[in-house]
């Protein structure tokens, strides 16, 4: 610890410790938890352990049951962390009950020191707070291995004959050491046996002389919305109530591309009046997320006021303090940096889906970094007991549920690709990184957003955009072709065909055809492609859902879910090959070439058993399958002739893409799809419509 009474430096608050005032019962483990001794896993002490595979064949059933029982017992009676030792009395105040101890080693309130050490010039951090009552405030730090160390212990008590402190200011300075690979700073608050301990206005500060940005920086927020008026209105209300954020806010560009308009919501006039000039409401055609976000980015650049542009999903629930943290971190980065936020599950508030991702260049697909996986539940495994979460993780991109981009970057590399939806955020992060602008997915910064586990792109029109934009991004970033492109397309086609989702195969093939038509076509079809793909998909039986199982004949038998008959990887691979061969070779016994309309479905399959895997379809010819949203049922039918034709078409198109790769790559890069000039031409149509509408009114 360094003496906090260093009068030679001016300090700026960059992370204020906050607590939830809404939905606290759902989110509190992200902010504060009861203290317990840290659970040191053996791998924290010896990383070589993680390099050894487990030999489950050497474990009998008794040993396995003992392992499971020990794990359950160690997780506590409630199966997770507790929040009984304290009460959050306001947005910035916590009262620790007498005789109890509370830890702030949590997602939202631990200071991400390693990220400040890596991306800024900050060399020390100052903790400040106001304390009342009696007890101790204990400062800790961790390193990249997740090991924690005490930094300081500050006793809180009154002076003279008064034993209880009243609004005493406490402070301590912590040097930025041992943080290159990872680490956090945090504090625990421990109340004495006789009195409560109240901590108010706690914050982490950094030396202002290390700030890189000049002057008073501001941001604009770009929100794209389509027929989610109530969600978007809630987002605007949350922004209007964020007093500290609004001091740094120029305007919110709310780009409404729907038919059920935000401005027609009953609460819109009030929030519009409250925000005043800090709200710019824009109507335009449905150009997808890329068009909606790009409009906000475009207007931010044109206005010439803001330092940053924050992209924020309309249906996300924001933690306004997180936006301020991203802004203040950006002010200190040594070079212009994209600062992203993690995505927490909207339906399970303590689960972090992702804190940023990397791209597998071999497959041109996203993947979690450093093997950390997705969906970490901080209510079960808090930050203190998750050593892998203490690593500093460098990512390729951040999802556009929340991502702050410096305006200097927008001017340098342009806006989103005009690709409607899917892969626009991935490509932008990769493009920025290649231009020297990294993406930092900053811990303590996040929004709550609807997770993906209730979706299956293969059963929607989104499959077209996923496949098309994936390979457009590859063309822009990889001038040399790879035969992996052929394998990836054939693998995906086979997986879809084995699930009888022939509409998705058709969408994927149309995506490849459109890529081959060149960049001008991609721009021209932006406003119309969604309608075309919906029409194409609607021609297939697998896309024709009905409201009830009673709308179809009764299945002949019950399916035993593949979840209840697990297989090893080798068995699954061999089974998949057998299914492909049976589908590709005409005349093999045991499989009908096509199911007639008069037949009965073999089985009924849940959406959960069809997403991402063909296993539930092995050995059947048709099935009633629920839609991913649970609101309908479709009758999926085997059609081997169509499968054979589609597989060949997929191979032909992917091969042509590889053959023409160098030429197409040069054409797409020369066209400069994401430039302000390109988007200016696209938006000119909408601006003309806005002008006519204003005159008519």
């Amino acid at each position: 610890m360094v003496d906090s009474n260093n009068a030679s430096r001016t300090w700026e608050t960059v992370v204020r410790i906050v607590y939830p005032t809404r939905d606290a019962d759902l989110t509190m483990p992200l902010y504060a938890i009861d203290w317990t001794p840290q659970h040191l896993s053996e791998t924290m002490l010896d990383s070589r352990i993680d390099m050894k595979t487990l030999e489950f064949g050497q474990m009998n059933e008794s040993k396995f049951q003992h392992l499971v029982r020990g794990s359950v017992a160690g997780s506590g009676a409630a199966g997770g962390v507790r929040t009984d030792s304290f009460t959050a009395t306001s947005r910035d105040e916590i009262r620790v009950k007498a005789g109890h101890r509370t830890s702030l080693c949590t997602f939202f309130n631990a200071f991400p020191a390693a990220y400040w050490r890596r991306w800024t010039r900050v060399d020390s951090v100052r903790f400040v707070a106001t304390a009342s009552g009696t007890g101790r405030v204990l400062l800790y730090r961790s390193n990249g291995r997740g090991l924690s160390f005490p930094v300081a212990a500050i006793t809180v008590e009154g002076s003279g004959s008064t034993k209880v402190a009243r609004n005493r200011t406490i402070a301590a300075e912590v040097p930025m050491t041992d943080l290159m690979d990872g680490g956090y700073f945090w504090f625990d608050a421990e109340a004495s046996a006789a009195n409560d301990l109240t901590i108010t206005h706690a914050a982490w500060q950094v030396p202002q002389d290390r700030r890189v940005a000049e002057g008073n920086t501001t941001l604009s927020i770009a929100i794209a919305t389509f027929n989610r008026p109530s969600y978007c209105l809630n987002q605007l209300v949350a922004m209007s109530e964020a007093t500290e954020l609004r001091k740094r806010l120029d305007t919110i560009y709310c780009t409404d591309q729907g038919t059920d308009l935000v401005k027609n919501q009953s609460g819109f006039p009030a929030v519009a009046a409250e925000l005043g000039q800090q709200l710019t409401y824009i109507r335009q055609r449905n150009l997808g997320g890329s068009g909606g976000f790009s409009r906000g980015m475009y207007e931010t650049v044109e206005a010439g006021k803001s330092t940053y542009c924050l992209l924020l999903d309309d249906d996300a629930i924001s933690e306004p303090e997180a936006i301020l943290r991203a802004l203040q971190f950006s002010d200190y980065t040594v070079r212009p940096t994209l600062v992203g936020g993690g995505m927490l599950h909207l339906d399970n508030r303590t689960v972090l889906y992702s804190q940023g991702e990397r791209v597998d260049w071999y497959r041109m697909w996203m993947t979690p970094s450093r093997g950390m996986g997705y969906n970490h539940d901080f209510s079960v495994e808090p930050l203190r007991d998750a050593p892998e979460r203490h690593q500093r993780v460098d990512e390729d991109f951040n999802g556009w549920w929340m991502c702050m981009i410096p305006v200097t970057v927008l001017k340098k590399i342009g806006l989103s690709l005009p690709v409607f939806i899917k892969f626009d955020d991935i490509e932008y992060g990769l493009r920025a990184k290649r231009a020297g602008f990294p993406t930092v997915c900053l811990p303590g910064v996040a929004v709550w957003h609807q997770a993906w586990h209730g979706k299956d792109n293969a059963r929607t029109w989104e499959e077209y955009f996923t496949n098309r934009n994936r390979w457009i991004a590859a063309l822009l970033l990889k001038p040399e072709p790879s035969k992996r492109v052929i394998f990836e397309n054939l693998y995906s086609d086979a997986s879809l065909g084995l699930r009888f989702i022939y509409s998705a195969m058709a969408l994927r093939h149309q995506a490849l055809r459109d890529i081959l038509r060149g960049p001008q076509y991609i721009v021209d079809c932006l406003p119309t492609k969604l309608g075309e793909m919906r029409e194409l998909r609607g021609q297939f039986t697998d896309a024709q859902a009905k409201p009830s199982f009673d709308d179809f004949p009764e299945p002949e038998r019950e399916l035993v879910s593949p979840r209840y008959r697990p297989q090893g990887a080798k068995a699954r691979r061999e089974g998949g090959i057998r299914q492909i061969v049976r589908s590709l070779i005409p005349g093999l016994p045991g499989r009908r070439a096509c199911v007639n309309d008069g037949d009965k479905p073999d089985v009924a399959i849940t959406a959960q058993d069809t997403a991402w895997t063909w296993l539930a379809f092995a050995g059947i010819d048709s099935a009633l399958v629920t839609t991913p949203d649970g609101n309908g049922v479709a009758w999926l039918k085997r059609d081997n002739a169509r499968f054979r034709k589609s597989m060949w078409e997929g191979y032909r198109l992917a091969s042509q893409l590889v053959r023409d790769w160098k030429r197409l790559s040069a054409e797409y890069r020369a066209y400069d799809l994401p430039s302000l000039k390109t988007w200016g031409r696209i938006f000119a149509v909408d601006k003309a419509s806005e002008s006519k509408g204003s005159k008519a009114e």
Side-chain angles (χ1 to χ4, degrees), residues 279-354:
L279 174 62
T280 302
Y281 183 77
I282 300 170
R283 284 280 294 118
Q284 73 176 23
R285 297 166 296 167
N286 183 16
L287 303 178
S290 70
F293 281 133
S294 288
R295 183 64 183 271
M297 290 188 267
Y298 183 88
E299 298 293 341
T300 299
V301 174
E302 289 290 292
K305 297 178 181 179
S306 302
T307 318
Y308 309 103
C309 180
L310 176 74
L311 310 185
L312 189 63
D313 254 346
D314 59 343
D315 58 345
I317 296 179
S318 301
E319 166 53 85
E321 191 66 28
I323 299 175
L324 269 177
R325 292 175 182 179
L327 174 64
Q328 290 166 315
F329 179 79
S330 297
D331 286 344
Y332 282 82
T333 55
V334 294
R335 50 181 161 162
T337 300
L338 284 67
V339 181
M343 190 186 101
L344 295 153
H345 285 237
L346 192 61
D347 53 3
N348 198 341
R349 300 289 183 88
T350 58
V351 176
L352 178 68
Y353 167 73
S354 171

Side-chain angles (χ1 to χ4, degrees), residues 8 15 45 120 218 243 363 392 432 465 475 483 535 625 649:
S8 63
V15 172
L45 306 175
T120 77
T218 59
T243 305
R363 299 183 56 230
R392 191 199 78 247
F465 293 100
L475 284 167
K483 291 185 178 180
E535 183 178 354
V625 183
E649 179 67 0

Side-chain angles (χ1 to χ4, degrees), residues 549-566:
F549 282 100
D550 293 331
D551 295 320
F552 301 96
E554 190 73 17
E556 291 185 344
R557 58 186 172 86
E558 183 180 2
L559 172 74
V560 178
S561 169
R563 289 177 285 131
Y564 304 129
R565 43 187 174 90

Side-chain angles (χ1 to χ4, degrees), residues 279-528:
L279 174 62
T280 302
Y281 183 77
I282 300 170
R283 284 280 294 118
Q284 73 176 23
R285 297 166 296 167
N286 183 16
L287 303 178
S290 70
F293 281 133
S294 288
R295 183 64 183 271
M297 290 188 267
Y298 183 88
E299 298 293 341
T300 299
V301 174
E302 289 290 292
K305 297 178 181 179
S306 302
T307 318
Y308 309 103
C309 180
L310 176 74
L311 310 185
L312 189 63
D313 254 346
D314 59 343
D315 58 345
I317 296 179
S318 301
E319 166 53 85
E321 191 66 28
I323 299 175
L324 269 177
R325 292 175 182 179
L327 174 64
Q328 290 166 315
F329 179 79
S330 297
D331 286 344
Y332 282 82
T333 55
V334 294
R335 50 181 161 162
T337 300
L338 284 67
V339 181
M343 190 186 101
L344 295 153
H345 285 237
L346 192 61
D347 53 3
N348 198 341
R349 300 289 183 88
T350 58
V351 176
L352 178 68
Y353 167 73
S354 171
Q355 187 67 45
E357 298 164 275
R358 297 192 76 88
V359 169
D360 180 350
W361 285 91
Y362 192 55
R363 299 183 56 230
M364 200 58 193
W365 199 251
M366 70 291 293
T367 180
S369 183
R370 296 203 178 189
M372 289 196 298
Y374 297 105
N375 304 315
H376 181 91
D377 191 347
F378 285 105
S379 72
V380 175
E381 190 176 12
L383 179 62
R384 178 190 57 225
D385 297 328
E388 74 281 359
R389 297 280 159 183
H390 289 247
Q391 301 175 85
R392 191 199 78 247
V393 179
D394 298 335
E395 306 288 11
D396 286 332
F397 70 96
N398 196 96
W400 280 359
W401 45 76
M402 178 185 184
C403 187
M404 182 174 290
I405 306 174
V407 171
T408 54
V409 176
L410 298 177
K411 292 179 178 178
K412 178 75 174 180
I413 71 170
L415 315 180
S416 167
L417 290 178
V419 292
F420 200 79
I421 61 169
K422 301 297 181 184
F423 255 82
D424 43 352
D425 48 4
I426 298 173
E427 187 277 335
Y428 197 92
L430 295 173
R431 188 190 341 148
K433 185 176 183 178
R434 183 159 292 186
F437 307 119
T439 295
V440 175
C441 308
L442 189 64
V445 174
V447 296
W448 287 272
H449 191 278
Q450 193 64 48
W452 317 134
H453 50 241
K455 299 182 179 180
D456 183 357
N457 285 350
R459 299 184 65 191
T460 73
W461 48 265
E462 294 180 14
E463 184 69 20
Y464 166 84
F465 293 100
T466 300
N467 199 50
R468 188 195 69 175
N469 300 346
R470 173 188 185 183
W471 299 119
I472 288 178
L475 284 167
L476 289 166
L477 297 164
K478 298 173 65 176
E480 293 296 325
S482 168
K483 291 185 178 180
R484 181 75 184 194
V485 174
I486 299 175
F487 174 82
E488 286 292 320
N489 278 280
L490 287 176
Y491 180 88
S492 297
D493 279 352
S495 175
L496 294 167
L498 293 182
R499 291 187 279 160
F500 312 159
I501 312 178
Y502 304 116
S503 64
M505 297 178 77
L507 293 176
R508 292 173 54 82
H509 299 161
Q510 188 59 49
L512 296 178
R513 293 188 195 97
D514 289 349
I515 291 173
L516 294 169
R517 297 174 73 169
Q520 182 62 56
Y521 177 77
I522 299 300
V523 174
D524 291 342
C525 75
L526 178 61
T528 61

